[in-house]
Amino acid sequence: MKAVILLSGGLDSTVCMSVANNKGYELYPISFNYHQRHKIELESAKKVANFYNVKHHLIIDTNMDAIGGSALTDKNIDVPCGNIERKDIPVTYVPARNLIFLSYALGYAEAIGADTIFIGVNSLDYSGYPDCRPEFIQLFQNLADYSTKASIQDKKHIKIETPLLRLTKKEIVLLGTELMAPLQYTHSCYNGKEKACGICDSCKLRLRGFEEAGVNDPIEYINR
């Protein structure tokens, strides 16, 4: 029983991988060098993959900085200080990122004969990205059911699993702790320094989650 896991090296994707592992899947993580602002998350993804002793960790190179339009791919756009109460979509949104990543994951799943794709999207404690919503996942599932040889000829359903979709950050931290996920290797900061900044959206959401869970965040911060 094989599963492809979208593994960024962040908190959510790592906990998502721990869920897949707990369900007994053979893990096939897929990560992306999309020419993001920093590569620290990729190093974290490698550490997480090694922790689970995976045999195959696929890293795809795709230059989304050529598209631009995001503070995570364009160094001319500053990463803003965090405002986790905002309602608008922040400049850290990367246009169509999850659509592109899931498309690669779907092709990979079909190639290796996996019947499940795990992605750690979350629609509660998150930065308001449109490609983290339940509606997006359902529509991609519909697309997946009509876009592969596996689904059309072999009648094989490749399911998109989103175990964190309706969890708060507190609940994600507690789940990761329960499953003994290697949270010490994760990196969530948008600024990409050796120590997390502690003030961007992602850091603030993460810190609040750990605080509400009553769990010590094992990574280092510049501001905490």
Side-chain angles (χ1 to χ4, degrees), residues 155-206:
K155 307 302 180 185
K156 181 175 181 179
H157 177 71
I158 300 176
K159 185 178 181 182
I160 313 299
E161 284 274 7
T162 56
L164 313 185
L165 186 62
R166 301 184 188 278
L167 300 185
T168 65
K169 268 295 189 279
K170 170 187 174 181
E171 291 169 328
I172 292 170
V173 170
L174 289 172
L175 178 60
T177 302
E178 177 188 347
L179 297 178
M180 295 183 287
L183 304 183
Q184 69 274 18
Y185 296 142
T186 61
H187 188 90
S188 305
C189 181
Y190 288 151
N191 280 295
K193 300 182 185 301
E194 185 174 344
K195 294 182 180 180
C197 72
I199 59 174
C200 68
D201 279 6
S202 187
C203 281
K204 285 190 171 182
L205 286 167
R206 176 181 174 129

Side-chain angles (χ1 to χ4, degrees), residues 170 173-174 177 207-217:
K170 170 187 174 181
V173 170
L174 289 172
T177 302
L207 283 166
R208 185 175 72 179
F210 273 93
E211 182 180 3
E212 291 178 350
V215 176
N216 179 56
D217 190 341

Side-chain angles (χ1 to χ4, degrees), residues 22-124:
N22 189 59
K23 288 178 177 288
Y25 284 96
E26 184 178 351
L27 306 175
Y28 285 78
I30 181 172
S31 303
F32 295 88
N33 175 11
Y34 59 96
H35 295 200
Q36 55 268 55
R37 179 179 287 266
H38 59 80
K39 303 297 189 296
I40 291 178
E41 261 195 341
L42 273 179
E43 294 307 311
S44 294
K46 293 174 185 177
K47 292 176 183 177
V48 172
N50 287 336
F51 177 87
Y52 286 106
N53 296 311
V54 300
K55 296 178 181 177
H56 306 278
H57 179 198
L58 183 63
I59 299 177
I60 298 289
D61 189 274
T62 175
N63 61 330
M64 296 182 72
D65 62 330
I67 296 173
S70 170
L72 298 192
T73 57
D74 187 341
K75 293 183 180 179
N76 293 315
I77 303 175
D78 292 333
V79 173
C81 290
N83 176 9
I84 56 179
E85 306 303 330
R86 72 156 56 88
K87 302 300 181 183
D88 59 327
I89 298 171
V91 295
T92 50
Y93 162 66
V94 180
R97 178 173 58 180
N98 282 345
L99 178 62
I100 293 168
F101 289 179
L102 276 170
S103 297
Y104 273 107
L106 180 63
Y108 188 36
E110 183 175 29
I112 65 173
D115 57 9
T116 309
I117 296 169
F118 281 82
I119 180 171
V121 291
N122 174 260
S123 63
L124 295 181

